[in-house]
Amino acid sequence: MRRLRLGSALAGALGCLALSVAVCAALWPHAREAGAILAAQDDPAALSDIHINSALRSNQALVTENIEAALAEGDSDLANSFVELARDRGIAVSDELSKRVSDAVTEAGSASHFAKRFATGLVTGNADDVASLSGTIAGDLFVFGDIRDVVREGKHLATGEEVDRLVLGLATVGLAVTAATYVSVGGLGPLRAGLSMVKDARKVGRLGEGLTQWAGRSAREVVDAPVLQQAVAKGSVLRPGDTISAIKAAFRAEKAGALVRLAKDVGRVGEKAGTRGALDTLRIAQGPKDVARAARLAESKGSQTRAILKVLGRGALLLATGAFNLTMWVFGALLALFGFLSSIKATTERATEAWLRRKKARRLRMQAAATLPSGPALAGAAAQG
């Protein structure tokens, strides 16, 4: 009966131990990844590496599928970004697919295509690739583009029509920055490009809702509306010198710091990830902090940035899963580990206790046997009696 109780106790302890091991084994991979994500939450490059690795494990054909989709949409830049990502991750891309991407990139960069898109950007002020953005920036650098936008939106303001205050504010800041760019011999080029990209993203509806609201509030503070109304009443694209002088009076330089920082970060993304990379960032960003994170990501990942943003979206810039949920994975694994160690402790204690009991019982039996008289001695005592 004693042995049966001992076996039952040990079996129960071993069962708890086995359960703890199973729970730990199930939770540990999730907890390890959650811990890595929490540790990388302030490092966009490291955070995107973790998420991209997870996405590639889940779908081995992810890169090929996205390259094919990008080529079908005529976006050779995005297709090439996925090729760069595949090369960095050691993922094989077929020679045929690589050649198609290379040919598409060459075609997009041809002289005729570039000239056409440059002219479109220069005249309309809208851009969605390097060529058209070059035209837009050229127009802004020669103050044509910014004056056009300020005069148009300013006249809407004067007549009571709907005004795009964000475009108005960005164009006003752009005029001031353009003058500084000339003074510094192009030293503020990335800032100038960043302002143009934000303005163009707004025009074509590719500016994230959260970022639009933030930038709109910031732009309102940059422009003195009454003064601007007077300036644009006499302004004209054909008289840029007089128009700029009039508009400068409406520009509040002390209020432009936030927009300037945003434009600088957009310019940094554009330098490292290309124009479309910057526009992709503006589409998913919900505020200036997202853009600043994207700039850090682009500086680390370069041409791979567009592919990363395509796969992960805003999750490339910050925690896609709530920090609380990730912490719960880690906490659950720690609890399972504690249960595992407690099971080992309980099993060891029960086994040791059972061994000590058996040893004590054996010693008592030996002592009892030693105190009893031997068989011959008992017979002699009986005869004497």
Side-chain angles (χ1 to χ4, degrees), residues 315-344:
L317 307 178
L318 73 169
L319 291 180
T321 305
F324 177 78
N325 293 337
L326 295 173
T327 303
M328 289 305 296
W329 276 115
V330 177
F331 183 66
L334 291 176
L335 284 180
L337 179 61
F338 177 76
F340 171 65
L341 296 176
S342 298
S343 297
I344 292 179

PDB file of all heavy atoms in Angstrom, residues 315-344:
ATOM      1  N   GLY A 315       3.331  48.896 -40.011  1.00  0.00           N
ATOM      2  CA  GLY A 315       3.993  47.997 -39.068  1.00  0.00           C
ATOM      3  C   GLY A 315       5.507  48.003 -39.197  1.00  0.00           C
ATOM      4  O   GLY A 315       6.206  47.537 -38.301  1.00  0.00           O
ATOM      5  N   ALA A 316       6.033  48.521 -40.322  1.00  0.00           N
ATOM      6  CA  ALA A 316       7.481  48.639 -40.477  1.00  0.00           C
ATOM      7  C   ALA A 316       8.048  49.760 -39.615  1.00  0.00           C
ATOM      8  O   ALA A 316       9.251  49.795 -39.354  1.00  0.00           O
ATOM      9  CB  ALA A 316       7.839  48.890 -41.944  1.00  0.00           C
ATOM     10  N   LEU A 317       7.184  50.668 -39.175  1.00  0.00           N
ATOM     11  CA  LEU A 317       7.651  51.853 -38.462  1.00  0.00           C
ATOM     12  C   LEU A 317       7.408  51.784 -36.961  1.00  0.00           C
ATOM     13  O   LEU A 317       8.056  52.486 -36.202  1.00  0.00           O
ATOM     14  CB  LEU A 317       6.948  53.102 -39.022  1.00  0.00           C
ATOM     15  CG  LEU A 317       7.037  53.286 -40.547  1.00  0.00           C
ATOM     16  CD1 LEU A 317       6.256  54.524 -40.962  1.00  0.00           C
ATOM     17  CD2 LEU A 317       8.479  53.371 -41.000  1.00  0.00           C
ATOM     18  N   LEU A 318       6.470  50.966 -36.526  1.00  0.00           N
ATOM     19  CA  LEU A 318       6.146  50.882 -35.106  1.00  0.00           C
ATOM     20  C   LEU A 318       5.491  49.537 -34.821  1.00  0.00           C
ATOM     21  O   LEU A 318       5.267  48.744 -35.732  1.00  0.00           O
ATOM     22  CB  LEU A 318       5.213  52.010 -34.688  1.00  0.00           C
ATOM     23  CG  LEU A 318       3.748  51.950 -35.134  1.00  0.00           C
ATOM     24  CD1 LEU A 318       2.952  53.015 -34.369  1.00  0.00           C
ATOM     25  CD2 LEU A 318       3.589  52.183 -36.622  1.00  0.00           C
ATOM     26  N   LEU A 319       5.213  49.267 -33.558  1.00  0.00           N
ATOM     27  CA  LEU A 319       4.632  47.998 -33.167  1.00  0.00           C
ATOM     28  C   LEU A 319       3.262  47.826 -33.798  1.00  0.00           C
ATOM     29  O   LEU A 319       2.347  48.609 -33.550  1.00  0.00           O
ATOM     30  CB  LEU A 319       4.502  47.910 -31.644  1.00  0.00           C
ATOM     31  CG  LEU A 319       5.801  47.802 -30.845  1.00  0.00           C
ATOM     32  CD1 LEU A 319       5.483  47.720 -29.362  1.00  0.00           C
ATOM     33  CD2 LEU A 319       6.595  46.590 -31.267  1.00  0.00           C
ATOM     34  N   ALA A 320       3.120  46.796 -34.636  1.00  0.00           N
ATOM     35  CA  ALA A 320       1.820  46.510 -35.242  1.00  0.00           C
ATOM     36  C   ALA A 320       0.890  45.864 -34.226  1.00  0.00           C
ATOM     37  O   ALA A 320      -0.320  46.059 -34.242  1.00  0.00           O
ATOM     38  CB  ALA A 320       1.985  45.601 -36.452  1.00  0.00           C
ATOM     39  N   THR A 321       1.449  45.037 -33.344  1.00  0.00           N
ATOM     40  CA  THR A 321       0.691  44.403 -32.268  1.00  0.00           C
ATOM     41  C   THR A 321       0.890  45.222 -31.007  1.00  0.00           C
ATOM     42  O   THR A 321       1.980  45.724 -30.752  1.00  0.00           O
ATOM     43  CB  THR A 321       1.195  42.973 -32.023  1.00  0.00           C
ATOM     44  OG1 THR A 321       1.138  42.258 -33.253  1.00  0.00           O
ATOM     45  CG2 THR A 321       0.343  42.274 -30.978  1.00  0.00           C
ATOM     46  N   GLY A 322      -0.162  45.371 -30.226  1.00  0.00           N
ATOM     47  CA  GLY A 322      -0.052  46.161 -29.011  1.00  0.00           C
ATOM     48  C   GLY A 322       1.032  45.643 -28.087  1.00  0.00           C
ATOM     49  O   GLY A 322       1.245  44.443 -27.949  1.00  0.00           O
ATOM     50  N   ALA A 323       1.737  46.570 -27.464  1.00  0.00           N
ATOM     51  CA  ALA A 323       2.804  46.188 -26.543  1.00  0.00           C
ATOM     52  C   ALA A 323       2.263  45.325 -25.405  1.00  0.00           C
ATOM     53  O   ALA A 323       2.953  44.432 -24.897  1.00  0.00           O
ATOM     54  CB  ALA A 323       3.480  47.442 -25.976  1.00  0.00           C
ATOM     55  N   PHE A 324       1.006  45.579 -25.014  1.00  0.00           N
ATOM     56  CA  PHE A 324       0.407  44.782 -23.932  1.00  0.00           C
ATOM     57  C   PHE A 324       0.299  43.319 -24.344  1.00  0.00           C
ATOM     58  O   PHE A 324       0.622  42.418 -23.560  1.00  0.00           O
ATOM     59  CB  PHE A 324      -0.975  45.343 -23.588  1.00  0.00           C
ATOM     60  CG  PHE A 324      -1.698  44.549 -22.529  1.00  0.00           C
ATOM     61  CD1 PHE A 324      -1.362  44.682 -21.195  1.00  0.00           C
ATOM     62  CD2 PHE A 324      -2.701  43.650 -22.885  1.00  0.00           C
ATOM     63  CE1 PHE A 324      -2.028  43.929 -20.223  1.00  0.00           C
ATOM     64  CE2 PHE A 324      -3.369  42.914 -21.924  1.00  0.00           C
ATOM     65  CZ  PHE A 324      -3.030  43.055 -20.593  1.00  0.00           C
ATOM     66  N   ASN A 325      -0.163  43.063 -25.587  1.00  0.00           N
ATOM     67  CA  ASN A 325      -0.286  41.679 -26.056  1.00  0.00           C
ATOM     68  C   ASN A 325       1.066  40.988 -26.115  1.00  0.00           C
ATOM     69  O   ASN A 325       1.199  39.815 -25.756  1.00  0.00           O
ATOM     70  CB  ASN A 325      -0.945  41.656 -27.435  1.00  0.00           C
ATOM     71  CG  ASN A 325      -2.389  42.110 -27.396  1.00  0.00           C
ATOM     72  OD1 ASN A 325      -3.029  42.033 -26.351  1.00  0.00           O
ATOM     73  ND2 ASN A 325      -2.895  42.602 -28.506  1.00  0.00           N
ATOM     74  N   LEU A 326       2.077  41.698 -26.590  1.00  0.00           N
ATOM     75  CA  LEU A 326       3.423  41.118 -26.658  1.00  0.00           C
ATOM     76  C   LEU A 326       3.944  40.821 -25.258  1.00  0.00           C
ATOM     77  O   LEU A 326       4.565  39.777 -25.022  1.00  0.00           O
ATOM     78  CB  LEU A 326       4.358  42.079 -27.385  1.00  0.00           C
ATOM     79  CG  LEU A 326       4.045  42.333 -28.871  1.00  0.00           C
ATOM     80  CD1 LEU A 326       4.931  43.433 -29.418  1.00  0.00           C
ATOM     81  CD2 LEU A 326       4.231  41.060 -29.686  1.00  0.00           C
ATOM     82  N   THR A 327       3.692  41.742 -24.348  1.00  0.00           N
ATOM     83  CA  THR A 327       4.147  41.527 -22.970  1.00  0.00           C
ATOM     84  C   THR A 327       3.466  40.316 -22.355  1.00  0.00           C
ATOM     85  O   THR A 327       4.079  39.564 -21.583  1.00  0.00           O
ATOM     86  CB  THR A 327       3.852  42.782 -22.120  1.00  0.00           C
ATOM     87  OG1 THR A 327       4.484  43.913 -22.728  1.00  0.00           O
ATOM     88  CG2 THR A 327       4.385  42.613 -20.705  1.00  0.00           C
ATOM     89  N   MET A 328       2.202  40.091 -22.689  1.00  0.00           N
ATOM     90  CA  MET A 328       1.479  38.944 -22.152  1.00  0.00           C
ATOM     91  C   MET A 328       2.085  37.626 -22.644  1.00  0.00           C
ATOM     92  O   MET A 328       2.104  36.631 -21.917  1.00  0.00           O
ATOM     93  CB  MET A 328      -0.002  39.013 -22.527  1.00  0.00           C
ATOM     94  CG  MET A 328      -0.760  40.116 -21.795  1.00  0.00           C
ATOM     95  SD  MET A 328      -0.603  39.987 -19.988  1.00  0.00           S
ATOM     96  CE  MET A 328      -1.420  38.423 -19.693  1.00  0.00           C
ATOM     97  N   TRP A 329       2.589  37.612 -23.911  1.00  0.00           N
ATOM     98  CA  TRP A 329       3.272  36.398 -24.392  1.00  0.00           C
ATOM     99  C   TRP A 329       4.501  36.124 -23.531  1.00  0.00           C
ATOM    100  O   TRP A 329       4.744  34.987 -23.118  1.00  0.00           O
ATOM    101  CB  TRP A 329       3.698  36.590 -25.849  1.00  0.00           C
ATOM    102  CG  TRP A 329       2.634  36.298 -26.860  1.00  0.00           C
ATOM    103  CD1 TRP A 329       2.046  37.182 -27.706  1.00  0.00           C
ATOM    104  CD2 TRP A 329       2.031  35.028 -27.141  1.00  0.00           C
ATOM    105  NE1 TRP A 329       1.108  36.544 -28.497  1.00  0.00           N
ATOM    106  CE2 TRP A 329       1.082  35.220 -28.171  1.00  0.00           C
ATOM    107  CE3 TRP A 329       2.206  33.741 -26.622  1.00  0.00           C
ATOM    108  CZ2 TRP A 329       0.318  34.192 -28.694  1.00  0.00           C
ATOM    109  CZ3 TRP A 329       1.433  32.708 -27.139  1.00  0.00           C
ATOM    110  CH2 TRP A 329       0.505  32.938 -28.152  1.00  0.00           C
ATOM    111  N   VAL A 330       5.269  37.162 -23.276  1.00  0.00           N
ATOM    112  CA  VAL A 330       6.482  36.999 -22.466  1.00  0.00           C
ATOM    113  C   VAL A 330       6.109  36.582 -21.049  1.00  0.00           C
ATOM    114  O   VAL A 330       6.726  35.676 -20.460  1.00  0.00           O
ATOM    115  CB  VAL A 330       7.300  38.307 -22.449  1.00  0.00           C
ATOM    116  CG1 VAL A 330       8.525  38.161 -21.557  1.00  0.00           C
ATOM    117  CG2 VAL A 330       7.722  38.686 -23.869  1.00  0.00           C
ATOM    118  N   PHE A 331       5.092  37.231 -20.491  1.00  0.00           N
ATOM    119  CA  PHE A 331       4.668  36.907 -19.129  1.00  0.00           C
ATOM    120  C   PHE A 331       4.159  35.476 -19.048  1.00  0.00           C
ATOM    121  O   PHE A 331       4.449  34.746 -18.090  1.00  0.00           O
ATOM    122  CB  PHE A 331       3.574  37.887 -18.697  1.00  0.00           C
ATOM    123  CG  PHE A 331       3.105  37.700 -17.283  1.00  0.00           C
ATOM    124  CD1 PHE A 331       3.954  37.933 -16.213  1.00  0.00           C
ATOM    125  CD2 PHE A 331       1.809  37.268 -17.024  1.00  0.00           C
ATOM    126  CE1 PHE A 331       3.526  37.740 -14.912  1.00  0.00           C
ATOM    127  CE2 PHE A 331       1.373  37.079 -15.726  1.00  0.00           C
ATOM    128  CZ  PHE A 331       2.235  37.322 -14.660  1.00  0.00           C
ATOM    129  N   GLY A 332       3.390  35.053 -20.071  1.00  0.00           N
ATOM    130  CA  GLY A 332       2.892  33.674 -20.092  1.00  0.00           C
ATOM    131  C   GLY A 332       4.019  32.663 -20.141  1.00  0.00           C
ATOM    132  O   GLY A 332       3.975  31.626 -19.471  1.00  0.00           O
ATOM    133  N   ALA A 333       5.051  32.969 -20.929  1.00  0.00           N
ATOM    134  CA  ALA A 333       6.193  32.055 -21.005  1.00  0.00           C
ATOM    135  C   ALA A 333       6.944  32.004 -19.680  1.00  0.00           C
ATOM    136  O   ALA A 333       7.398  30.941 -19.253  1.00  0.00           O
ATOM    137  CB  ALA A 333       7.142  32.493 -22.125  1.00  0.00           C
ATOM    138  N   LEU A 334       7.060  33.147 -19.016  1.00  0.00           N
ATOM    139  CA  LEU A 334       7.730  33.165 -17.714  1.00  0.00           C
ATOM    140  C   LEU A 334       6.936  32.364 -16.680  1.00  0.00           C
ATOM    141  O   LEU A 334       7.526  31.647 -15.852  1.00  0.00           O
ATOM    142  CB  LEU A 334       7.905  34.608 -17.240  1.00  0.00           C
ATOM    143  CG  LEU A 334       8.912  35.452 -18.029  1.00  0.00           C
ATOM    144  CD1 LEU A 334       8.922  36.889 -17.510  1.00  0.00           C
ATOM    145  CD2 LEU A 334      10.310  34.845 -17.920  1.00  0.00           C
ATOM    146  N   LEU A 335       5.615  32.475 -16.740  1.00  0.00           N
ATOM    147  CA  LEU A 335       4.789  31.676 -15.827  1.00  0.00           C
ATOM    148  C   LEU A 335       4.954  30.185 -16.107  1.00  0.00           C
ATOM    149  O   LEU A 335       5.040  29.363 -15.175  1.00  0.00           O
ATOM    150  CB  LEU A 335       3.319  32.069 -15.972  1.00  0.00           C
ATOM    151  CG  LEU A 335       2.882  33.383 -15.316  1.00  0.00           C
ATOM    152  CD1 LEU A 335       1.396  33.615 -15.558  1.00  0.00           C
ATOM    153  CD2 LEU A 335       3.174  33.366 -13.823  1.00  0.00           C
ATOM    154  N   ALA A 336       4.981  29.838 -17.407  1.00  0.00           N
ATOM    155  CA  ALA A 336       5.174  28.434 -17.761  1.00  0.00           C
ATOM    156  C   ALA A 336       6.534  27.943 -17.294  1.00  0.00           C
ATOM    157  O   ALA A 336       6.674  26.810 -16.813  1.00  0.00           O
ATOM    158  CB  ALA A 336       5.035  28.256 -19.271  1.00  0.00           C
ATOM    159  N   LEU A 337       7.546  28.791 -17.443  1.00  0.00           N
ATOM    160  CA  LEU A 337       8.887  28.425 -16.973  1.00  0.00           C
ATOM    161  C   LEU A 337       8.900  28.254 -15.463  1.00  0.00           C
ATOM    162  O   LEU A 337       9.525  27.311 -14.929  1.00  0.00           O
ATOM    163  CB  LEU A 337       9.889  29.497 -17.400  1.00  0.00           C
ATOM    164  CG  LEU A 337      11.344  29.280 -16.970  1.00  0.00           C
ATOM    165  CD1 LEU A 337      11.888  27.985 -17.574  1.00  0.00           C
ATOM    166  CD2 LEU A 337      12.208  30.462 -17.371  1.00  0.00           C
ATOM    167  N   PHE A 338       8.199  29.154 -14.763  1.00  0.00           N
ATOM    168  CA  PHE A 338       8.115  29.031 -13.309  1.00  0.00           C
ATOM    169  C   PHE A 338       7.420  27.727 -12.918  1.00  0.00           C
ATOM    170  O   PHE A 338       7.836  27.032 -11.985  1.00  0.00           O
ATOM    171  CB  PHE A 338       7.345  30.225 -12.744  1.00  0.00           C
ATOM    172  CG  PHE A 338       7.136  30.164 -11.261  1.00  0.00           C
ATOM    173  CD1 PHE A 338       8.170  30.453 -10.385  1.00  0.00           C
ATOM    174  CD2 PHE A 338       5.900  29.801 -10.735  1.00  0.00           C
ATOM    175  CE1 PHE A 338       7.976  30.379  -9.008  1.00  0.00           C
ATOM    176  CE2 PHE A 338       5.697  29.728  -9.368  1.00  0.00           C
ATOM    177  CZ  PHE A 338       6.740  30.022  -8.508  1.00  0.00           C
ATOM    178  N   GLY A 339       6.344  27.387 -13.661  1.00  0.00           N
ATOM    179  CA  GLY A 339       5.663  26.121 -13.395  1.00  0.00           C
ATOM    180  C   GLY A 339       6.570  24.936 -13.659  1.00  0.00           C
ATOM    181  O   GLY A 339       6.544  23.943 -12.913  1.00  0.00           O
ATOM    182  N   PHE A 340       7.369  25.028 -14.720  1.00  0.00           N
ATOM    183  CA  PHE A 340       8.304  23.958 -15.045  1.00  0.00           C
ATOM    184  C   PHE A 340       9.314  23.760 -13.916  1.00  0.00           C
ATOM    185  O   PHE A 340       9.566  22.632 -13.449  1.00  0.00           O
ATOM    186  CB  PHE A 340       9.012  24.292 -16.356  1.00  0.00           C
ATOM    187  CG  PHE A 340      10.158  23.383 -16.689  1.00  0.00           C
ATOM    188  CD1 PHE A 340       9.950  22.042 -16.963  1.00  0.00           C
ATOM    189  CD2 PHE A 340      11.447  23.880 -16.724  1.00  0.00           C
ATOM    190  CE1 PHE A 340      11.012  21.207 -17.274  1.00  0.00           C
ATOM    191  CE2 PHE A 340      12.514  23.053 -17.023  1.00  0.00           C
ATOM    192  CZ  PHE A 340      12.294  21.713 -17.301  1.00  0.00           C
ATOM    193  N   LEU A 341       9.903  24.866 -13.445  1.00  0.00           N
ATOM    194  CA  LEU A 341      10.881  24.776 -12.358  1.00  0.00           C
ATOM    195  C   LEU A 341      10.226  24.296 -11.064  1.00  0.00           C
ATOM    196  O   LEU A 341      10.829  23.511 -10.308  1.00  0.00           O
ATOM    197  CB  LEU A 341      11.542  26.135 -12.145  1.00  0.00           C
ATOM    198  CG  LEU A 341      12.377  26.656 -13.324  1.00  0.00           C
ATOM    199  CD1 LEU A 341      12.904  28.056 -13.026  1.00  0.00           C
ATOM    200  CD2 LEU A 341      13.535  25.705 -13.612  1.00  0.00           C
ATOM    201  N   SER A 342       8.992  24.756 -10.819  1.00  0.00           N
ATOM    202  CA  SER A 342       8.286  24.307  -9.608  1.00  0.00           C
ATOM    203  C   SER A 342       7.990  22.810  -9.679  1.00  0.00           C
ATOM    204  O   SER A 342       8.080  22.104  -8.666  1.00  0.00           O
ATOM    205  CB  SER A 342       6.971  25.084  -9.455  1.00  0.00           C
ATOM    206  OG  SER A 342       7.213  26.464  -9.298  1.00  0.00           O
ATOM    207  N   SER A 343       7.655  22.322 -10.889  1.00  0.00           N
ATOM    208  CA  SER A 343       7.398  20.893 -11.055  1.00  0.00           C
ATOM    209  C   SER A 343       8.661  20.085 -10.800  1.00  0.00           C
ATOM    210  O   SER A 343       8.616  19.013 -10.175  1.00  0.00           O
ATOM    211  CB  SER A 343       6.869  20.614 -12.465  1.00  0.00           C
ATOM    212  OG  SER A 343       5.634  21.265 -12.681  1.00  0.00           O
ATOM    213  N   ILE A 344       9.789  20.577 -11.302  1.00  0.00           N
ATOM    214  CA  ILE A 344      11.061  19.892 -11.037  1.00  0.00           C
ATOM    215  C   ILE A 344      11.331  19.854  -9.547  1.00  0.00           C
ATOM    216  O   ILE A 344      11.742  18.818  -8.980  1.00  0.00           O
ATOM    217  CB  ILE A 344      12.212  20.602 -11.782  1.00  0.00           C
ATOM    218  CG1 ILE A 344      12.055  20.425 -13.287  1.00  0.00           C
ATOM    219  CG2 ILE A 344      13.564  20.072 -11.316  1.00  0.00           C
ATOM    220  CD1 ILE A 344      13.131  21.125 -14.095  1.00  0.00           C
TER     221      ILE A 344
END
